[in-house]
Amino acid sequence: MLGFQTPVIVFGGTAIVYLVIILLTLRKRRFGSWLNGLFFLYLVISIVWVTGKAMGVTEGLVPLVPLYGILIARNAFAILPILLAVLTFLFFERKGAQNAGVLGAICVLVIAIVDSNLFNLQNLLQASLRLRAPGQVVFGLVFLEWAGFTGGALVLAVMDYVRIQRPLHRNRILYWVTATLLIGLGEGLTMLPDAWLTQVGAVVRMSGVGLIAYVMLTYYLPSVRAATRRFISLGLITLVTAGLFLGSFVVLQWAIASLPSGYVVVGAVIVSVLVSIVFQPVRSAAARLVDRFVIGGSYDPAHALREYSAAITSILDLDTLVTMSMGTISETLEVRRGALLLTTEHDDGHVDVRVIPGMGEVSIRSAEFDPHSPVLSHLQQARQPLSQYEIDVLPELRLAPLSERAWLEQLNMELYVPIRHQTLLVGILALGSKAGDAPYTVQDHDVLSTLADQTAVALQNARLVSDLKKLNAEMVVLNEELKHMNRRLEKLDAAKTHFIQIASHELRTPLTQVRGYADIMADAVKSERPTPAQVAQISQGISRATIRLEEIISAMLDVSEIDTEALSLYRTPLSLMSVMRMVTETHQNAIKQRKQTFTVESMDDLPNVQGDSQRLFQAFSNIVGNCIKFTPDGGSIRISGRRLTEPSGDGVSTEYVQVLIADTGIGIDLDDRELIFEKFYRVGSPDLHSTGSVKFKGAGPGLGLAIVRGIIQAHGGKVWVESTGHDEINFPGSIFHVLLPATTKVVES
Ligand code: ADP
C-alpha cells in the first residue's frame, strides 16, 4: 500500500507552500529582472527537491519510486545552494554573480560525472579514499559544494551588513542574513540520517525561503531591531510586575505561617488591596523606565515645533534659517548631519539643486536634476518624507537617472523632507542618520513634515531677499561696466572728431606741398628757365607728397574694406621669416635715421602659416613702423617668434605661431591697450602729434593698428599689446603679440 506516512505529508506540505509562494510572487511582480527570474527557478527546484524527498520515503506499491525520488532529490539539492549564492550576489548588487553561476555549473557537472561513475571515477575515488559504503563519494562532494556556496552566500550578506551603515538598508540585509541562516540550518538538518530531523529541516528551510520571498515582495519591512527592543521591554515590564505579585505572595505566606488564623483573611485582604492600588503605577513606572533605557528617550514634538515656528517668522537670511531648522531637528531627533537643498526650476524644465550645508560635514556640490526626475516628482507629489532606502528599493524610483542616484548616494543622507510652497517644491531638508543609527519613526516623519510646512514661507521670503541681494550686486557690476563703456564711447567719439581734424591735416599737408611746388615751378618758368637740378628737386617733392597722399587714401580704403568684411586675401603657405625680411628692408633707413637697434631672432624654425604675404607684410610693417615712431632715438626693437600648441579636445591639437615685437618706447596705458586697435583712435591730443613716418611720436590718422587687427583676424589670428603704462621719462616699452594658426596640425600621442 502507498503509505501516506508523516514524512510524505511534511515534504508534500512544503511543496504546496513553495507553490503558494510561486503564485504570490507571480501575482505581485513581473519577472523582468534576473533576480526575480532566478528566484522563480529557485522555487521550482525547491519543489522538485521536496517532491523527490517525498518520493524517496514512500513505501509500497511502486518499487522504483523511492529510488527515483532519491536521485531527483540529490540532483536538485546540488543546484539549490548555487542558486542561493547567485541570488545573494544579485540582491546585493555585487559583481561576481556570473562567476558564481559558472563555478556552480562546473561543480554540478563534476558531481554528475562522479555520480554516473563515468570513467570509473566514483570507484577510483572510493578506493583511493578508502570509503566503504557506496555513494559516500557523491555525498561528500555534494556536502562540500553545499557548504561552500551556502557559506559564501552567508559571508557575502554579513559583509554587506557590516559595510552598510544606513539603518533601513541594514534592516533589509538582516532579513536576508536570517533567511540564509534558516535555509542553511534547514538544509543541514535534511542531510542528517535521522528521519525526524530531516522533516524539521525541510520546514525550517521552507521558512527561510518564505522570508526571502517576503523581503523580495515587500519594500517596507518591519524593523527587526525595533521588534527585538519591544520584545525585550515587554519582557522587562512583565518581570517587574511579576516581582510585585511574587512579593505579595511571600508576604501572604509569611502571614499564614505566623498570624493567628483569624488575622490571615484580614492580612490577605490588605495585601490584595495594596497590590491592586500599586499595580498600575508600578507597571507604568516600569514601562517608562524601560522605554527610556531600552527604546530611547521620547521627545515633545509639539513644544519643539511651537518654539521653531515662533523663531523663524522674522528670519530673512537663508543661512540663518538653515542653521535654525537644523538646530531644531538635531535637538529633537538627534540627527547629526543635514543640509538644505534649494530647488530652482529652469525654463527648460531642468531643476537646479543647490546644497546649503547645515550641520555635520556636507562637502558635495550642487547638481542639476532631470525635468522628469522620479525622485523630485515623488517629493513634489507625496508631501511625505522620502528615505534613501525607498530611493534604492522602490522600482519607480530606481528608474531615476544614474547620475542623480550617484549624486544622492554621495550626499549620503537618510531622509529627504519636501518643503512645498503652495504646490511648488521650493526646497528639501536632507537629513543624515539619527544618533545610534536608529531608523526614523512614523512620528519623526510627521514632525519633520510639519516642520517643513512651517519652513516653507520663511524659506520663500529668505530666497526672495537673497535673490534681491544678488540682483543688487549684479546691478553694481553692471553699473561699473556701463561707466566703463561710456568712457570708451566718449573716447571713440572724440577719436572720430579728431579724425576730421587729423584727416584734413594729413591730407592737406601733402596737398599744400604739391601746390607749393607747382607755384615755385610756375614762378621759375615765368622769370627764367628753371635749371634741371631745380626741376629734379621740385618733382621729387611732388612725388613724396603724392606718395603720402596715396598712403593715407589706401589706408582709408583698407579700413573700409575691413569694416564691410570685404578684405580679400590671397593665401599661400608662407614662412613668417620671409615676411620679416621684407619688413626689415623697408624700415632699414628709418632705423638708421633714428639710431635704433633692430633684431630678429628665433624666427627660422617656425612652422609655415597659410597667409596673404602682402597683407601680413602690411600688418607687421605697421606694427614695426609704430615701434620705430614711439621709441626714442637709440632705443631698440626686438622681434622674436615661438610655436604654441593648444589641445582642441578631439585628440588633435592646433598649432600656432606667436610673433612678439618688443620696443623700448613710451609704452601704452592700460585703458588704451584695447582702444588703439580701434580706427581713428590715437593716444593723447591730436595737436601734439607731429606728422611723419619716422619722426619720434609722429602719428598718422589712427588707422595703422585698426588695419593690423583686421588683417590678423581675417587670418584667424589674434593681436594684442602688453605694456606697463605710458611713461615718456622711463620708457617702459610695449610688446605687441601676434598669434596666427600654423598650417600643421599635431596629433596627440
Ligand atoms: P597712427 O596712424 O596714429 O600710427 P595707429 O593705429 O598705428 O595710428 O596707432 C594708434 C596709436 O597707438 C598711436 O597713435 C600711438 O599713440 C599708439 N601706439 C601704437 N604703437 C605704439 C607703440 N609701439 N608704443 C607706444 N604707443 C603706440
Side-chain angles (χ1 to χ4, degrees):
M1 199 192 88
L2 187 68
F4 271 103
Q5 308 93 335
T6 338
V8 179
I9 296 170
V10 172
F11 290 130
T14 51
I16 292 169
V17 174
Y18 287 132
L19 198 68
V20 172
I21 298 176
I22 286 186
L23 293 177
L24 278 176
T25 334
L26 276 178
R27 217 170 64 94
K28 269 242 179 172
R29 218 162 321 154
R30 277 177 291 124
F31 283 94
S33 73
W34 268 97
L35 182 63
N36 293 328
L38 276 178
F39 185 56
F40 181 72
L41 188 67
Y42 189 60
L43 289 168
V44 171
I45 295 178
S46 295
I47 293 180
V48 173
W49 174 60
V50 282
T51 313
K53 277 266 177 208
M55 282 161 68
V57 291
T58 50
E59 294 163 8
L61 289 174
V62 193
L64 277 181
V65 166
L67 206 69
Y68 279 126
I70 290 169
L71 208 70
I72 289 170
R74 196 202 294 154
N75 283 313
F77 187 76
I79 302 171
L80 288 173
I82 299 163
L83 282 178
L84 179 69
V86 177
L87 277 173
T88 311
F89 268 105
L90 291 175
F91 182 78
F92 292 111
E93 292 178 351
R94 289 287 198 100
K95 280 188 197 128
Q98 237 170 1
N99 293 347
V102 171
L103 189 69
I106 294 170
C107 287
V108 171
L109 198 73
V110 169
I111 292 170
I113 289 172
V114 174
D115 198 11
S116 57
N117 204 10
L118 211 70
F119 315 118
N120 206 19
L121 211 58
Q122 188 172 163
N123 294 349
L124 282 176
L125 276 170
Q126 198 165 338
S128 67
L129 292 169
R130 298 209 183 129
L131 298 171
R132 251 176 258 142
Q136 259 182 340
V137 174
V138 178
F139 180 80
L141 285 178
V142 172
F143 177 79
L144 284 179
E145 180 243 37
W146 168 81
F149 280 89
T150 314
L154 192 65
V155 168
L156 199 70
V158 172
M159 264 165 59
D160 250 52
Y161 185 78
V162 175
R163 185 174 62 94
I164 288 170
Q165 294 302 318
R166 303 177 181 286
L168 292 175
H169 288 72
R170 283 189 119 193
N171 187 45
R172 194 163 184 245
I173 299 170
L174 207 58
Y175 273 86
W176 195 276
V177 171
T178 316
T180 317
L181 272 175
L182 284 174
I183 292 173
L185 181 70
E187 287 176 351
L189 285 175
T190 60
M191 271 188 269
L192 297 176
D194 187 282
W196 273 106
L197 285 180
T198 310
Q199 291 164 49
V200 172
V203 175
V204 172
R205 177 185 191 276
M206 182 195 74
S207 56
V209 176
L211 203 58
I212 284 194
Y214 180 60
V215 179
M216 285 181 56
L217 297 180
T218 324
Y219 301 122
Y220 297 99
L221 300 164
S223 161
V224 178
R225 247 169 83 163
T228 319
R229 281 184 180 180
R230 230 168 286 133
F231 183 72
I232 294 173
S233 75
L234 204 73
L236 285 175
I237 295 166
T238 316
L239 220 69
V240 171
T241 38
L244 186 71
F245 283 113
L246 210 69
S248 54
F249 189 69
V250 172
V251 171
L252 269 180
Q253 220 177 20
W254 167 81
I256 292 166
S258 49
L259 291 178
S261 59
Y263 290 99
V264 170
V265 180
V266 180
V269 169
I270 294 172
V271 169
S272 322
V273 170
L274 275 178
V275 166
S276 56
I277 290 172
V278 296
F279 173 76
Q280 199 47 43
V282 166
R283 200 188 148 88
S284 343
R288 261 204 309 280
L289 270 176
V290 167
D291 267 5
R292 183 128 173 232
F293 290 111
V294 179
I295 294 183
S298 60
Y299 58 93
D300 177 10
H303 176 70
L305 287 174
R306 258 196 317 278
E307 279 200 347
Y308 175 68
S309 164
I312 58 163
T313 40
S314 55
I315 292 178
L316 283 175
D317 176 59
L318 258 179
D319 289 325
T320 320
L321 181 67
V322 176
T323 316
M324 194 78 214
S325 57
M326 289 299 155
T328 309
I329 293 169
S330 130
E331 267 170 35
T332 42
L333 303 181
E334 291 186 62
V335 178
R336 292 163 301 189
R337 280 180 70 240
L340 175 74
L341 310 184
L342 272 190
T343 52
T344 318
E345 195 175 332
H346 291 297
D347 294 339
D348 61 358
H350 275 94
V351 181
D352 202 43
V353 181
R354 187 154 72 90
V355 185
I356 306 184
M359 59 180 159
E361 199 176 316
V362 182
S363 54
I364 194 164
R365 275 182 293 124
S366 304
E368 195 171 78
F369 272 56
D370 201 71
H372 309 293
S373 162
V375 175
L376 289 187
S377 1
H378 192 282
L379 283 167
Q380 162 102 28
Q381 282 149 22
R383 304 205 66 179
Q384 274 295 313
L386 178 70
S387 65
Q388 180 63 44
Y389 173 76
E390 289 168 299
I391 296 173
D392 288 339
V393 171
L394 294 183
E396 67 267 26
L397 295 178
R398 284 176 67 96
L399 289 177
L402 270 184
S403 59
E404 284 175 21
R405 289 188 58 198
W407 186 81
L408 289 169
E409 186 65 38
Q410 226 186 326
L411 192 63
N412 195 18
M413 293 294 179
E414 198 55 41
L415 199 71
Y416 299 95
V417 191
I419 304 175
R420 291 163 23 122
H421 188 246
Q422 283 142 14
T423 52
L424 219 74
L425 183 73
V426 286
I428 301 162
L429 288 171
L431 304 174
S433 47
K434 285 171 69 174
D437 283 332
Y440 286 89
T441 62
V442 179
Q443 189 195 17
D444 296 342
H445 282 206
D446 290 343
V447 171
L448 287 168
S449 297
T450 318
L451 189 130
D453 284 346
Q454 288 178 350
T455 312
V457 177
L459 178 62
Q460 211 46 3
N461 289 343
R463 284 190 81 161
L464 280 176
V465 171
S466 145
D467 286 352
L468 265 172
K469 276 186 192 159
K470 216 162 58 190
L471 219 68
N472 219 15
E474 276 170 12
M475 286 287 280
V476 171
V477 173
L478 266 175
N479 213 16
E480 268 311 304
E481 274 174 18
L482 218 69
K483 274 189 196 158
H484 180 72
M485 254 333 223
N486 213 18
R487 274 203 302 273
R488 190 183 150 91
L489 281 174
E490 270 171 12
K491 283 188 172 192
L492 281 178
D493 195 46
K496 277 200 182 127
T497 322
H498 293 161
F499 171 71
I500 297 171
Q501 294 172 25
I502 294 162
S504 56
H505 173 73
E506 290 285 330
L507 292 172
R508 201 175 290 148
T509 314
L511 268 178
T512 319
Q513 281 170 355
V514 171
R515 216 169 127 190
Y517 283 121
D519 287 349
I520 295 170
M521 183 75 132
D523 287 349
V525 171
K526 241 189 259 164
S527 56
E528 58 197 271
R529 277 172 147 243
T531 62
Q534 268 178 319
V535 174
Q537 198 192 358
I538 290 167
S539 66
Q540 266 173 18
I542 292 175
S543 156
R544 262 202 314 272
T546 45
I547 288 173
R548 182 78 190 131
L549 261 178
E550 219 173 77
E551 272 173 9
I552 295 166
I553 291 167
S554 76
M556 286 175 174
L557 285 175
D558 284 345
V559 162
S560 82
E561 271 185 24
I562 288 165
D563 270 355
T564 52
E565 291 179 11
L567 192 74
S568 43
L569 299 177
Y570 302 98
R571 295 170 79 161
T572 48
L574 61 96
S575 106
L576 286 178
M577 187 59 211
S578 63
V579 175
M580 280 314 155
R581 264 190 220 110
M582 279 157 65
V583 173
T584 316
E585 244 173 66
T586 310
H587 293 282
Q588 224 166 25
N589 283 336
I591 291 162
K592 224 184 258 167
Q593 220 174 306
R594 302 288 314 282
K595 297 183 187 66
Q596 289 164 339
T597 355
F598 187 82
T599 43
V600 178
E601 43 189 66
S602 345
M603 292 287 295
D604 289 312
D605 300 331
L606 295 179
N608 281 353
V609 297
Q610 187 76 16
D612 183 322
S613 61
Q614 274 312 311
R615 287 296 187 187
L616 285 179
F617 161 74
Q618 188 184 0
F620 284 109
S621 184
N622 281 359
I623 298 176
V624 171
N626 277 342
C627 290
I628 296 170
K629 283 194 293 184
F630 295 100
T631 302
D633 288 359
S636 68
I637 294 145
R638 190 173 149 257
I639 299 179
S640 58
R642 61 182 176 206
R643 65 168 74 198
L644 288 179
T645 312
E646 196 176 86
S648 48
D650 48 3
V652 179
S653 308
T654 311
E655 268 228 319
Y656 288 93
V657 181
Q658 187 177 19
V659 180
L660 291 91
I661 304 121
D663 66 24
T664 54
I666 57 174
I668 299 160
D669 274 341
L670 188 71
D671 275 357
D672 291 325
R673 274 192 252 162
E674 275 276 318
L675 288 167
I676 55 168
F677 291 97
E678 296 291 342
K679 56 180 186 270
F680 311 138
Y681 187 78
R682 302 180 341 169
V683 178
S685 159
D687 309 333
L688 301 175
H689 286 268
S690 57
T691 313
S693 53
V694 290
K695 267 197 261 169
F696 182 46
K697 296 204 286 168
L703 297 174
L705 289 179
I707 294 171
V708 170
R709 189 175 64 175
I711 292 173
I712 300 299
Q713 281 182 351
H715 278 83
K718 267 195 284 191
V719 55
W720 69 97
V721 68
E722 211 185 309
S723 174
T724 49
H726 182 116
D727 183 346
E728 293 188 24
I729 297 167
N730 295 312
F731 299 107
S734 318
I735 306 172
F736 282 80
H737 296 250
V738 177
L739 195 68
L740 286 166
T743 43
T744 45
K745 289 231 181 269
V746 183
V747 178
E748 285 164 32
S749 53

